[in-house]
Amino acid sequence: MTDYADLDVVVLVEPVVEDWVTPNGTVRRTVPAGTVGAIVATYPDGSLEVEFPTTTARVTAGQIRPE
């Protein structure tokens, strides 16, 4: 099992789709599988916040792998 808290860079193994509500409506952001991102935070529930080139997303360990 990988300790993601010790890593800086990870690769997304499945796409992440998030809907962001803005004053002008809802914007859907998709980060495709294979995108490289930097871990910016870890949470007690085991999830991680990862900064990708187009957005920041909270992911689980099953959605990423070491780069």
Side-chain angles (χ1 to χ4, degrees):
M1 184 170 162
T2 302
D3 185 0
Y4 287 98
D6 294 336
L7 296 175
D8 293 325
V9 179
V10 293
V11 176
L12 196 58
V13 295
E14 62 183 49
V16 172
V17 179
E18 294 184 330
D19 291 332
W20 292 54
V21 178
T22 70
N24 297 323
T26 302
V27 175
R28 176 159 285 183
R29 293 189 180 191
T30 302
V31 182
T35 303
V36 176
I39 296 174
V40 294
T42 57
Y43 297 97
D45 67 358
S47 64
L48 305 108
E49 188 168 333
V50 180
E51 184 177 338
F52 297 103
T54 57
T55 191
T56 300
R58 194 164 174 168
V59 299
T60 64
Q63 294 174 290
I64 56 175
R65 65 172 170 79
E67 207 273 320

